[in-house]
Amino acid sequence: MPVPARTDEDDATLIARAREGDAHAWEIIVDRHLPMVNAIATSYRLGSPDREDAVQTVWLALNQHLPHLHSPHHLRPWLRRVTHSTCVRQRHHGLRLRPVDPQALAERPPGEDASGPEHDPEALYLRKEVHEALHRAVGGLTDPADRRAARYYLGQAPAHESTPVERRRLKRRLHRLLREHR
């Protein structure tokens, strides 16, 4: 049976005991540093559930890193750093997952997804169609200079392979080919 840890022990001693499975030492570590972790999480103005998730993530990280902490006497700065980075991640995660009002969603123009037009299935399909038509048009080019310019225009070749004159000629030819394939 582990010897109960005293509350006046330093962090390094408590960590050594916690590594050996002393639950009371772990509780003292948490009780000692919880006010600081909570204060940092509160300073990020996270909502209550997000703040609680961040704090729990900090303690989980400590539990996972406990056997590998190289400087147990630097526990407080380590917890500060982990709490800040966890809160930053939590805030970014919260910004990506904003709640959507169903009424506002119903008022959106058709074809616009809640996450923006770049994720709208119809817009994605149309972009794919344009991309395929462009590649069909480029496939119809017979002049090697036009092919080089087309590869440059599509971002598949370095700029030095085509001249401005070739690029202008290509654009005109691509437009003509696109009109023909419609």
Side-chain angles (χ1 to χ4, degrees), residues 60-85:
L60 178 62
L62 176 59
N63 189 305
Q64 291 172 341
H65 288 88
L66 200 60
H68 311 292
L69 286 177
H70 297 292
S71 304
H73 55 283
H74 288 121
L75 176 62
R76 192 168 187 81
W78 186 89
L79 282 171
R80 244 188 246 115
R81 187 178 68 251
V82 169
T83 303
H84 281 291
S85 63

Side-chain angles (χ1 to χ4, degrees), residues 120-179:
D120 176 34
E122 186 177 351
L124 290 172
Y125 176 78
L126 290 173
R127 274 199 303 272
K128 180 180 173 234
E129 287 291 312
V130 168
H131 180 76
E132 289 173 358
L134 179 62
H135 280 277
R136 279 193 305 274
V138 170
L141 296 174
T142 55
D143 183 354
D146 285 348
R147 283 190 185 268
R148 275 195 311 275
R151 284 197 320 270
Y152 167 74
Y153 186 74
L154 296 173
Q156 299 171 349
H160 68 272
E161 286 190 21
S162 62
T163 67
V165 171
E166 289 173 327
R167 289 191 297 270
R168 279 194 301 274
R169 195 173 83 204
L170 164 73
K171 277 186 169 182
R172 285 193 302 270
R173 180 117 188 226
L174 285 175
H175 285 292
R176 188 173 48 252
L177 287 169
L178 282 170
R179 280 192 303 272

Side-chain angles (χ1 to χ4, degrees), residues 33-70:
H33 298 286
L34 183 61
M36 177 198 62
V37 171
N38 276 332
I40 293 170
T42 301
S43 75
Y44 279 85
R45 301 193 192 294
L46 298 169
S48 184
D50 288 338
R51 186 179 61 248
E52 291 169 10
D53 285 350
V55 170
Q56 287 298 322
T57 301
V58 169
W59 296 121
L60 178 62
L62 176 59
N63 189 305
Q64 291 172 341
H65 288 88
L66 200 60
H68 311 292
L69 286 177
H70 297 292

